[in-house]
Amino acid sequence: MSDTLILLHTALAVLGIVVLVVLARINPVIVLVLGALYLGLATGLGFDSTTTAVAQGFGDLMAEVGLIIGFGVLLGSLLSTTGTLQRIVELFLRVCGREKSPYALGLASGIIFPAIYFDVALVMLAPIARSVAARTGVGIAALGGSLAIGLEVGLLMVLPGAAALASAGALGVSLGTMLLFGIPVGIVCIVGGIFLHSALMRRTWQPAKDETTLNGGVDGMTVAEAEEPRRRLPLMVMLLPILVPLALIVSGTFTEMAGVGGGPIGFLSHPIVALLIGLLLACGITVYMLSRDALEKSLSKGAATSGTILLFTGVAGSLGEVISRTGIGDIISGLFETSPLSPLILAWVVAALLRLAQGSGSVAAITAATLLAPVVGGLDASAVLVLLAAAAGASFGGHVSDNTFWMFRTLLGLSTRGTFQVYTLSQSIMSVVGLGVVLGLSVFV
């Protein structure tokens, strides 16, 4: 089959996925599998090879990141249950003061506690953002924007964010490398994005048009009924479930670079083992502070939310495997080589278009990474920078087709116009900042 026909069928598959998800509102998991099956059959893989590719792609990616995502979601649920997230934000406010409160909220939500599951973190942090706005007088526009930016960075760029994990698995980026690059790039994106967005909001925000009265008293107590702790622990102890796994993973990376990896150090620094240790620590802390019943409820909630993430991640791997077997990798690689644009810019554009088309940042980032995975080895760019460029692009232009757009509107008490300014505009500004940071790094990496 000619290269033109392969590209045509790939374009039809991608367009079909977008149309079925956005217009027909069919679940993305079903649509991605249908797209993978169509692409395999249309490009001549045959019935058996197509179904084998779909199954193998799912299994391979699950073997890479399945347990890691599952443990990460459970860990995030326990951290919410114990109130660790709220305490770290309050500490940031005490340290940073009123003027820097948007930066404190953005960095806490994006770097200290990356959004393992965006919606859960949003429900927990939105009442805090409104409370901080009322206490400091900074305004909900700046604080809402900082929350939107921080959560998106945590989801797409910083481990253990689910989309960051899945994209790293698709592109073959080690978790140690992702930690070393994702955190500093995420910090710059958050600080730069908040600074520019806050400056713009001072000129455009109109409370009479952009804010509404909350219905039903949507606050921290009504949104998330939390069990009162029977015992207290120092904040540093409550942070151990996050700090210990990160320290283990980073130490494993450095020992491997020094040529002394393997053995007990290699075992403990493996992401699955490290996150399991963190999860066990979180379980112990939850039982000590609350009760065994609270632990079971939190784990059940985390298990329920992880299912969709795992299923979507797996079928993204199915699509990637089919793309790889059609030979389109070589074709796209040739297009990248002859393109006057940087492959990093192209990665950003692909992800941005996907985000604009179907709304979900996770879907856009993982799909862009999946599309680029077959050719990343032949590109004149580091795989981790391609990942971060796609993550930045996937932050651009979230709007009414994104369910979190409406969550922001309701939880923060905004009008639709206000939500466009807080959610859509803040993340789009951060997206452009992220592209600039990645292009700057490409000079040295």
Side-chain angles (χ1 to χ4, degrees):
M1 181 174 291
S2 69
D3 291 351
T4 302
L5 280 177
I6 293 175
L7 288 172
L8 176 61
H9 284 303
T10 303
L12 288 174
V14 172
L15 179 61
I17 289 171
V18 171
V19 169
L20 289 175
V21 171
V22 176
L23 299 182
R25 299 183 180 179
I26 300 176
N27 187 284
V29 172
I30 298 173
V31 174
L32 281 169
V33 174
L34 289 174
L37 292 173
Y38 163 80
L39 185 59
L41 295 175
T43 53
L45 285 185
F47 296 104
D48 291 340
S49 294
T50 297
T51 54
T52 299
V54 169
Q56 184 176 329
F58 185 97
D60 287 348
L61 194 53
M62 282 296 96
E64 182 75 24
V65 299
L67 280 175
I68 296 171
I69 291 175
F71 289 162
V73 172
L74 294 176
L75 180 57
S77 181
L78 292 176
L79 291 172
S80 295
T81 298
T82 58
T84 305
L85 186 60
Q86 296 92 314
R87 287 187 61 180
I88 194 65
V89 171
E90 290 171 0
L91 174 64
F92 264 60
L93 290 177
R94 289 198 300 270
V95 172
C96 297
R98 172 187 176 277
E99 294 299 327
K100 297 180 180 178
S101 57
Y103 300 97
L105 183 62
L107 290 169
S109 59
I111 303 300
I112 304 300
F113 286 96
I116 300 168
Y117 193 69
F118 193 109
D119 291 353
V120 173
L122 174 58
V123 169
M124 296 302 298
L125 284 173
I128 297 175
R130 292 198 347 267
S131 175
V132 171
R135 283 165 42 193
T136 63
V138 170
I140 196 61
L143 286 161
S146 70
L147 182 58
I149 289 171
L151 290 176
E152 194 77 348
V153 167
L155 177 69
L156 300 175
M157 296 184 180
V158 180
L159 297 181
L165 278 170
S167 299
L171 289 171
V173 177
S174 71
L175 298 190
T177 301
M178 192 63 198
L179 281 171
L180 293 174
F181 280 85
I183 291 176
V185 169
I187 290 174
V188 175
C189 287
I190 290 172
V191 173
I194 291 174
F195 175 80
L196 294 173
H197 179 255
S198 297
L200 182 60
M201 289 301 96
R202 286 194 288 270
R203 296 175 176 271
T204 64
W205 190 258
Q206 300 179 41
K209 294 182 178 180
D210 298 325
E211 299 178 26
T212 62
T213 302
L214 288 171
N215 296 321
V218 184
D219 56 31
M221 298 306 295
T222 57
V223 170
E225 294 291 344
E227 182 177 327
E228 185 66 24
R230 60 181 181 179
R231 298 186 183 94
R232 302 284 180 175
L233 284 173
L235 181 57
M236 285 304 298
V237 175
M238 297 172 67
L239 285 172
L240 288 178
I242 283 289
L243 297 179
V244 170
L246 292 180
L248 288 172
I249 293 172
V250 172
S251 66
T253 301
F254 283 116
T255 55
E256 185 177 343
M257 291 171 60
V260 293
I265 296 177
F267 174 76
L268 293 173
S269 63
H270 191 284
I272 291 176
V273 177
L275 278 174
L276 177 59
I277 292 171
L279 181 59
L280 292 173
L281 288 172
C283 288
I285 289 172
T286 303
V287 172
Y288 179 83
M289 292 185 63
L290 299 168
S291 64
R292 180 173 292 276
D293 183 57
L295 171 65
E296 292 302 324
K297 287 181 179 178
S298 184
L299 289 176
S300 296
K301 181 180 179 182
T305 59
S306 66
T308 301
I309 298 173
L310 291 170
L311 192 56
F312 174 75
T313 302
V315 296
S318 298
L319 178 61
E321 182 66 19
V322 172
I323 290 172
S324 178
R325 294 195 184 195
T326 60
I328 195 174
D330 294 334
I331 301 171
I332 297 177
S333 180
L335 293 176
F336 273 92
E337 290 173 0
T338 58
S339 172
L341 293 177
S342 160
L344 298 177
I345 295 178
L346 292 176
W348 186 92
V349 170
V350 168
L353 291 175
L354 286 168
R355 178 66 186 274
L356 285 166
Q358 51 76 45
S360 169
S362 295
V363 173
I366 298 171
T367 303
T370 301
L371 290 170
L372 293 167
V375 300
V376 71
L379 299 179
D380 186 22
S382 168
V384 69
L385 294 186
V386 172
L387 187 158
L388 291 171
S395 304
F396 187 87
H399 53 89
V400 294
S401 62
D402 185 353
N403 70 297
T404 50
F405 176 95
W406 301 106
M407 289 181 67
F408 261 82
R409 185 185 188 280
T410 302
L411 293 173
L412 294 180
L414 307 174
S415 66
T416 301
R417 169 193 148 109
T419 311
F420 272 112
Q421 293 201 75
V422 166
Y423 184 74
T424 307
L425 189 56
S426 68
Q427 290 187 353
S428 297
I429 290 172
M430 181 272 290
S431 175
V432 176
V433 171
L435 176 61
V437 172
V438 171
L439 290 175
L441 281 176
S442 67
V443 177
F444 307 99
V445 178

